[in-house]
Amino acid sequence: MANPTRPTHRNDEHDKRNFATKLIHFGSEIDSATGAASVPLYQASTFHQFSLDEPQTYDYTRSGNPTRQALEDYIALLEGGARGFAFASGMAAISAAFMLLSAGDHVICTEDVYGGTYRLLTTILTRMNIETTFVDATDLDQVKAALKPNTKAVFLETPSNPTLKITDIAAVAGWAKEQGLLTMLDNTFMTPYHQRPIELGIDIVLHSATKFLGGHSDVTAGLAVAATDSLGRRLKQIQNGLGTILGVNDSWLLMRGMKTLKARMDAHEQSARRLADWLSSQPSVDTVYYPGLPNHPGRDIHEKQSLGYGAVVSFDVGSGERAKQLLSKVRIPLVAVSLGAVESILSYPAMMSHAAMPREVRLERGSATGSSATPSGSRILRISSRTWSKLSQIRNILDRRSAFIAVWRSFSIAGFGRFMVR
């Protein structure tokens, strides 16, 4: 019998078993030359050409490398796309996708977007005469209203970062296709284990693979997956032209991390759900934001398009001062940028991931939704962490330090490890 607390579309349990198999048996798991049970590291920058009249598959690692190709085929398989591409970082992958546009083009973008993406769109692409309109993508009417004669693309992030708003992927993708627009979606928080946007009509899926896909805080990487071969050829040209490729060793490390994706995501989500439930009962917390909570406004939509609720929880602690008090007291987890790793990571988006977003913009977007607002500002914290076993570990901190909950008005947690205060 299916677990009633989880989405059950796509035959949930059967789908998860199939996906788990793909994580291990992805086509390059056994080296054809030696039988090695690991993809070889082809630590070479160039390849001998045996015949000039019959070019080989590989000639120069910027253009292609067998180790990186194994990774690119791997992510394409997991996302259900035609071609995959590995980049030096998540922002390198996102930047490459935007390079499909030209001067004079216009983009419609989720307003509650990762700070690095916001910085790219507002400080770099503007110099290339590419303009962006930021909208509340949870409202399809707002997305439609932003359409201009020169609109060429729609960029989505769902659940959004850091306030976990949910966009109806199929609805936006369907409308965009009617308008002839390119659709791109940052799938970092969900990973293909929980959510596969190409199945819902998205053209390009993007990842900061540094996060959940890598999962060990030891590699910086970005991935892109094109839904079609024709779009894949265009992305390949950009990847080769810009040269922002992922290195051979990092490609191997990322593949190693991806093999345990299912086990890690299951553990992360179990922890996040327990934490979200518990935080919801605490009087010191104004609001908890997590797609798995019954009162989350986007839960029904999320369950239609995702197989899980993910490992990021946000909660409102009331002030930036309280947030900073918590940050100054914890010993576990790390206080750092990033998320999605085996260790617990507590982040302060206002001064970390969303520092590039002006304060007035964060406040405007937070207040625009009324009483349910979750400003991407000084009152939000985000934590990504490993599994914790005893809720009392968190409760003890809250009892000792009310500032824990006051740490950042919206606190995001990916999984959750043990918390300790100095």
Side-chain angles (χ1 to χ4, degrees), residues 295-315:
N295 63 348
H296 190 287
R299 176 168 172 158
D300 289 344
I301 293 174
H302 185 76
E303 289 184 346
K304 289 194 306 181
Q305 62 195 24
S306 303
L307 289 170
Y309 303 113
V312 177
V313 179
S314 298
F315 63 89

Side-chain angles (χ1 to χ4, degrees), residues 350 354-366 375-378:
H354 288 70
M357 189 176 288
R359 181 178 182 275
E360 60 271 18
V361 174
R362 296 196 301 268
L363 293 176
E364 176 185 355
R365 290 174 183 174
S376 303
S378 62

Side-chain angles (χ1 to χ4, degrees), residues 236-364:
K236 178 63 178 180
Q237 183 183 46
I238 291 169
Q239 183 196 47
N240 192 32
L242 293 177
T244 51
I245 57 166
L246 187 63
V248 173
N249 279 284
D250 286 343
S251 295
W252 187 90
L253 277 174
L254 182 51
M255 283 187 281
R256 184 188 64 173
M258 288 165 64
K259 291 178 180 180
T260 60
L261 179 64
K262 179 186 182 300
R264 290 185 287 104
M265 291 300 289
D266 285 346
H268 280 314
E269 180 171 327
Q270 181 182 25
S271 298
R273 292 176 65 184
R274 290 179 63 196
L275 181 65
D277 288 339
W278 183 77
L279 286 172
S280 297
S281 68
Q282 301 305 304
S284 301
V285 178
D286 292 351
T287 310
V288 180
Y289 304 89
Y290 182 62
L293 290 175
N295 63 348
H296 190 287
R299 176 168 172 158
D300 289 344
I301 293 174
H302 185 76
E303 289 184 346
K304 289 194 306 181
Q305 62 195 24
S306 303
L307 289 170
Y309 303 113
V312 177
V313 179
S314 298
F315 63 89
D316 187 330
V317 297
S319 74
E321 188 60 34
R322 289 178 175 180
K324 291 179 180 179
Q325 289 174 15
L326 173 60
L327 290 168
S328 69
K329 298 298 181 182
V330 298
R331 285 188 288 133
I332 299 175
L334 301 178
V335 174
V337 178
S338 198
L339 55 92
V342 292
E343 62 275 320
S344 302
I345 301 175
L346 179 61
S347 299
Y348 188 29
M351 299 181 70
M352 294 181 179
S353 63
H354 288 70
M357 189 176 288
R359 181 178 182 275
E360 60 271 18
V361 174
R362 296 196 301 268
L363 293 176
E364 176 185 355

Side-chain angles (χ1 to χ4, degrees), residues 4-296:
T5 65
R6 289 181 59 86
T8 56
H9 72 295
R10 291 198 220 113
N11 192 348
D12 190 0
E13 293 303 321
H14 177 70
D15 183 271
K16 287 193 296 180
R17 286 197 298 270
N18 284 346
F19 189 89
T21 299
K22 290 178 182 178
L23 286 173
I24 306 302
H25 302 283
F26 53 92
S28 298
E29 69 275 9
I30 299 175
D31 178 44
S32 60
T34 66
S38 176
V39 176
L41 278 162
Y42 288 90
Q43 193 65 58
S45 61
T46 192
F47 300 82
H48 175 69
Q49 301 302 296
F50 293 94
S51 172
L52 296 178
D53 295 326
E54 298 179 9
Q56 297 174 193
T57 302
Y58 303 102
D59 57 7
Y60 188 62
T61 281
R62 172 171 49 78
S63 302
N65 179 284
T67 307
R68 189 175 78 240
Q69 188 63 54
L71 168 62
E72 293 175 333
D73 292 342
Y74 193 4
I75 190 60
L77 174 70
L78 298 182
E79 284 287 5
R83 295 186 66 175
F85 302 92
F87 295 88
S89 69
M91 282 311 305
I94 291 171
S95 299
F98 277 114
M99 287 298 99
L100 292 167
L101 304 180
S102 301
D105 288 348
H106 171 252
V107 179
I108 300 172
C109 181
T110 302
E111 66 177 5
D112 191 23
V113 72
Y114 169 57
T117 305
Y118 179 86
R119 177 173 53 232
L120 171 68
L121 292 168
T122 60
T123 67
I124 297 175
L125 294 188
T126 50
R127 293 190 286 105
M128 301 172 63
N129 195 27
I130 295 174
E131 61 173 329
T132 303
T133 298
F134 295 94
V135 301
D136 180 358
T138 65
D139 183 350
L140 184 58
D141 288 337
Q142 288 194 37
V143 178
K144 292 179 177 180
L147 183 68
K148 296 183 177 183
N150 61 333
T151 303
K152 300 297 181 183
V154 179
F155 185 93
L156 302 175
E157 187 173 342
T158 182
S160 63
N161 184 3
T163 55
L164 303 172
K165 294 179 180 178
I166 304 299
T167 297
D168 189 328
I169 299 173
V172 174
W175 171 79
K177 277 186 168 44
E178 292 174 357
Q179 307 302 319
L181 307 179
L182 179 70
T183 51
M184 300 177 276
L185 189 146
D186 186 334
N187 202 31
T188 298
F189 276 14
M190 286 290 101
T191 79
Y193 177 53
H194 283 322
Q195 180 172 275
R196 292 188 283 281
I198 288 174
E199 295 179 0
L200 301 170
I202 294 296
D203 297 312
I204 299 175
V205 178
L206 300 156
H207 291 276
S208 173
T210 310
K211 312 302 192 297
F212 289 108
L213 289 175
H216 292 78
S217 294
D218 57 7
V219 61
T220 302
L223 297 173
V225 179
T228 65
D229 284 323
S230 60
L231 192 55
R233 287 192 291 272
R234 294 172 62 194
L235 272 176
K236 178 63 178 180
Q237 183 183 46
I238 291 169
Q239 183 196 47
N240 192 32
L242 293 177
T244 51
I245 57 166
L246 187 63
V248 173
N249 279 284
D250 286 343
S251 295
W252 187 90
L253 277 174
L254 182 51
M255 283 187 281
R256 184 188 64 173
M258 288 165 64
K259 291 178 180 180
T260 60
L261 179 64
K262 179 186 182 300
R264 290 185 287 104
M265 291 300 289
D266 285 346
H268 280 314
E269 180 171 327
Q270 181 182 25
S271 298
R273 292 176 65 184
R274 290 179 63 196
L275 181 65
D277 288 339
W278 183 77
L279 286 172
S280 297
S281 68
Q282 301 305 304
S284 301
V285 178
D286 292 351
T287 310
V288 180
Y289 304 89
Y290 182 62
L293 290 175
N295 63 348
H296 190 287

Side-chain angles (χ1 to χ4, degrees), residues 367-389:
S367 62
T369 56
S371 61
S372 62
T374 53
S376 303
S378 62
R379 304 187 309 186
I380 296 177
L381 286 178
R382 184 185 65 211
I383 182 171
S384 169
S385 68
R386 63 186 177 91
T387 305
W388 49 271
S389 58

